[in-house]
Amino acid sequence: MDLTSEEIEKLGVETSFIQQLSIDCVIFGFHGEQLKVLLPKLRDIDNTWTLPGGYIFQKEGIDDAAQRILQERTGLRDIYLEQFGVFGKADRATAETMKKLMEGNSIRVKLGDWILKRFVSIGYYALVDFTEVVPRAGSFDETCDWYDMKQLPNLAFDHSEIIQKALENLQLMLDYKLVGFHLLPDAFTMKELQKLYETILDKPFRRDNFQRKMLSLGILERLEKKFTGAANKAPYTYRFKQRN
Amino acid sequence: MDLTSEEIEKLGVETSFIQQLSIDCVIFGFHGEQLKVLLPKLRDIDNTWTLPGGYIFQKEGIDDAAQRILQERTGLRDIYLEQFGVFGKADRATAETMKKLMEGNSIRVKLGDWILKRFVSIGYYALVDFTEVVPRAGSFDETCDWYDMKQLPNLAFDHSEIIQKALENLQLMLDYKLVGFHLLPDAFTMKELQKLYETILDKPFRRDNFQRKMLSLGILERLEKKFTGAANKAPYTYRFKQRN
DNA sequence: CCAAAAGTGTTAACTGTACACCCATGT
DNA sequence: ACATGGGTGTACAGTTAACACTTTTGG
């Protein structure tokens, strides 16, 4: 959690947050032909990462809360967000595991015991342009870095399961809502888009047919060519048409 | 809410339920070629219905809580349930509207003011066999009946929006997860299945091609013919193959 | 000129849609 | 025999997948 001093003060007043309800965010990025997840690592806790998360103010909508939490981590505003599930098994984060996780982190425990109660968590995933993100470690964090989706570090609670569910939902929605573009820079080549699809859906596409299919959707506009210096035909770049 | 006396007593202890978090259930049924929703009407409140809902015990998983709430309403166990969204706008159920709704219902208000706080609600929808349900009005309800999806009564809060979202999710998942069978009796004719699909997706299908498509999925087993007494060829009945 | 990758024309395979005919059923 | 609705064969159309060829780029 990345709390301002003002927010920490508010934490003392139990009623300022909704109790026993949290938000966990899976922040997806794409870089080096790999799908990445942004994960902070709590200080003084060995070899354990958690999803960036937070709580909901009494007068705050849950989508607003998720945007606020994401802005604290990535510095970005108006992020593409999707609410994909609620995680509320009775034993998903017991007081024991929470306490264990809190060892050595005196600040949190002082805030009161409400944080040790059983929590239900709302899962959001965010799709961000990797190149635009400046990861920010919060005041309780040791680090905040990107991790390869295929080589995730050790995750606390059920956060590993939450990431898996997020990916499944993204796979299901990729064609339906055409949201992949949020993971790429403004202008991109067809090859980059294809690699993105292949990585997310974990299956290969034929270069020729992929190109035609994407162009037939009528959502791309062709920009200028991109000269890389390679000894081959320069590819066009494309941009996602916002609205026509 | 259909509370037992034991549960009402527990209500006095605020900590027995998770505060400010509720579950709302959209119970879908199919009858007379129409999609139906089971809706209780609170007593002493004029012309206003609500979704059947409830709260989550401290040591209870959210799916278990939804099953419990549904069992209280329908008498059925092991209902098909899908969690389709969370409703948490800051103003979705303010203290004012809640109080207004509570006028004349002294029992609830006596339970304490925690129920007047802002709530976040987890939306589930259930698919049940209409013929197996015995609607049960809870202790706070005047009635509990099926309503036509196309002629819903006046609904409180954002419950109308919740039902709409539930339907959209059902439409999206109908082909993907093949869940329509839960809305039909164990054995059904192809025509009944077609009418179900047409009603949910709100578009017509060709009789011949629909039949072939369903059979090609390999999930139906053909049972004996159904003789209705009509002067035409008797249709086969089918059953959904559980697993092979 | 050559290798490598981009872009596109053409064809084959598949899937979905439409029309047809035959079959079973009770009057 | 006839009307009615069920089941299935077949042809047509549209979509998707596969193959091939041409174009562009820098060495």
Side-chain angles (χ1 to χ4, degrees):
Chain A
M1 300 188 309
D2 189 357
L3 300 177
T4 65
S5 57
E6 184 196 357
E7 284 164 358
I8 289 176
E9 194 166 337
K10 279 186 181 169
L11 268 173
V13 186
E14 291 198 355
T15 49
S16 74
F17 283 127
I18 293 180
Q19 287 182 54
Q20 303 188 260
L21 186 62
S22 62
I23 286 176
D24 281 312
C25 297
V26 181
I27 305 172
F28 285 118
F30 186 68
H31 187 69
E33 301 194 3
Q34 283 296 336
L35 193 62
K36 306 271 187 179
V37 183
L38 191 64
L39 295 171
K41 180 182 186 307
L42 289 178
R43 208 184 299 134
D44 302 322
I45 297 163
D46 207 42
N47 194 39
T48 306
W49 282 254
T50 63
L51 283 171
Y55 308 102
I56 303 151
F57 287 116
Q58 280 297 343
K59 303 207 167 178
E60 184 180 43
I62 55 173
D63 291 351
D64 301 326
Q67 283 284 355
R68 171 176 53 80
I69 291 162
L70 282 167
Q71 201 186 328
E72 288 163 359
R73 293 292 174 183
T74 63
L76 300 178
R77 299 184 132 273
D78 290 325
I79 289 173
Y80 179 81
L81 261 185
E82 196 75 38
Q83 195 262 288
F84 67 95
V86 183
F87 299 84
K89 283 186 193 149
D91 61 348
R92 66 175 286 274
T94 59
E96 295 83 61
T97 49
M98 195 69 177
K99 254 181 186 155
K100 194 177 167 192
L101 208 67
M102 290 297 152
E103 277 170 15
N105 198 327
S106 56
I107 300 170
R108 277 201 174 182
V109 181
K110 274 189 203 147
L111 294 171
D113 65 344
W114 69 279
I115 210 166
L116 295 178
K117 281 187 183 171
R118 172 259 182 110
F119 267 80
V120 172
S121 193
I122 305 172
Y124 282 86
Y125 65 82
L127 305 182
V128 301
D129 178 357
F130 184 91
T131 61
E132 283 192 7
V133 175
V134 184
R136 296 182 189 176
S139 45
F140 299 117
D141 304 334
E142 189 176 309
T143 61
C144 185
D145 283 307
W146 290 103
Y147 292 87
D148 206 290
M149 190 60 194
K150 299 206 168 178
Q151 291 173 333
L152 291 176
N154 181 254
L155 287 150
F157 309 123
D158 56 354
H159 287 191
S160 192
E161 182 191 335
I162 293 176
I163 293 176
Q164 194 52 42
K165 266 273 172 61
L167 176 61
E168 285 168 19
N169 194 286
L170 174 58
Q171 289 173 334
L172 196 65
M173 290 296 157
L174 192 59
D175 283 317
Y176 178 63
K177 290 193 174 175
L178 301 170
V179 292
F181 308 97
H182 296 286
L183 288 164
L184 293 173
D186 209 54
F188 48 86
T189 65
M190 197 55 80
K191 184 162 202 163
E192 287 167 344
L193 186 60
Q194 183 181 339
K195 287 288 178 193
L196 174 65
Y197 269 70
E198 290 180 336
T199 304
I200 292 177
L201 299 176
D202 197 28
K203 68 176 178 187
F205 290 96
R206 287 186 64 95
R207 180 184 61 84
D208 48 3
N209 294 331
F210 183 84
Q211 165 132 338
R212 257 186 289 257
K213 176 151 191 181
M214 282 297 151
L215 292 178
S216 74
L217 295 172
I219 53 172
L220 297 181
E221 64 179 317
R222 181 172 279 181
L223 307 175
E224 72 283 0
K225 288 188 177 187
K226 181 186 177 187
F227 294 89
T228 60
N232 52 42
K233 190 170 177 177
Y236 290 104
T237 58
Y238 297 90
R239 175 161 50 192
F240 178 57
K241 277 186 202 168
Q242 303 289 21
R243 44 196 67 258
N244 268 12
Chain B
M1 299 188 308
D2 189 356
L3 299 178
T4 64
S5 57
E6 184 198 356
E7 284 165 358
I8 289 175
E9 194 169 336
K10 280 187 180 169
L11 267 173
V13 187
E14 292 198 353
T15 48
S16 74
F17 283 125
I18 292 179
Q19 287 182 54
Q20 305 191 44
L21 185 60
S22 62
I23 285 177
D24 281 313
C25 297
V26 182
I27 305 172
F28 285 118
F30 186 66
H31 187 68
E33 300 192 3
Q34 283 295 335
L35 194 61
K36 307 271 188 179
V37 182
L38 190 64
L39 294 171
K41 183 185 184 303
L42 289 179
R43 209 184 296 134
D44 304 320
I45 297 161
D46 209 41
N47 194 40
T48 305
W49 282 254
T50 63
L51 283 172
Y55 307 102
I56 302 151
F57 286 115
Q58 282 296 344
K59 303 207 167 176
E60 185 182 40
I62 56 174
D63 291 351
D64 300 326
Q67 284 283 355
R68 170 175 55 79
I69 290 161
L70 283 166
Q71 201 186 328
E72 288 162 0
R73 293 290 175 186
T74 63
L76 300 178
R77 299 185 133 271
D78 290 325
I79 290 173
Y80 180 82
L81 262 185
E82 196 75 38
Q83 196 262 288
F84 67 94
V86 184
F87 300 85
K89 283 184 191 150
D91 61 347
R92 64 175 288 274
T94 59
E96 295 84 63
T97 49
M98 196 68 178
K99 256 182 185 155
K100 195 178 167 191
L101 209 67
M102 290 297 153
E103 277 169 15
N105 198 326
S106 55
I107 300 170
R108 275 200 175 184
V109 181
K110 273 189 202 149
L111 294 172
D113 64 345
W114 70 279
I115 210 165
L116 295 178
K117 281 188 180 168
R118 171 263 181 108
F119 267 81
V120 171
S121 193
I122 305 172
Y124 281 86
Y125 64 81
L127 305 182
V128 300
D129 177 357
F130 184 91
T131 60
E132 283 191 7
V133 175
V134 183
R136 297 181 188 177
S139 45
F140 299 117
D141 304 334
E142 189 177 309
T143 61
C144 185
D145 282 309
W146 290 103
Y147 292 87
D148 207 289
M149 192 60 195
K150 299 207 167 175
Q151 291 173 332
L152 291 175
N154 181 255
L155 287 151
F157 309 122
D158 56 355
H159 288 192
S160 192
E161 182 192 334
I162 292 176
I163 293 177
Q164 193 53 42
K165 266 274 172 63
L167 177 61
E168 285 169 18
N169 194 284
L170 174 58
Q171 290 173 333
L172 197 65
M173 289 296 156
L174 192 58
D175 281 317
Y176 177 62
K177 289 193 177 180
L178 302 171
V179 292
F181 309 97
H182 296 285
L183 288 164
L184 294 173
D186 207 56
F188 48 85
T189 66
M190 197 55 81
K191 183 163 205 165
E192 287 167 343
L193 186 60
Q194 185 182 340
K195 286 288 178 193
L196 174 65
Y197 268 70
E198 290 180 336
T199 305
I200 293 177
L201 300 175
D202 198 29
K203 68 177 179 188
F205 290 95
R206 290 186 63 92
R207 177 183 63 86
D208 47 3
N209 294 331
F210 182 83
Q211 165 131 341
R212 257 186 288 257
K213 176 151 189 180
M214 282 299 151
L215 292 179
S216 75
L217 295 173
I219 53 171
L220 297 181
E221 63 178 319
R222 183 172 277 179
L223 306 175
E224 73 283 0
K225 288 188 175 186
K226 181 185 176 187
F227 293 88
T228 61
N232 52 45
K233 190 171 177 177
Y236 290 104
T237 57
Y238 297 88
R239 176 163 48 193
F240 177 57
K241 276 188 204 168
Q242 302 291 21
R243 47 195 64 258
N244 272 13

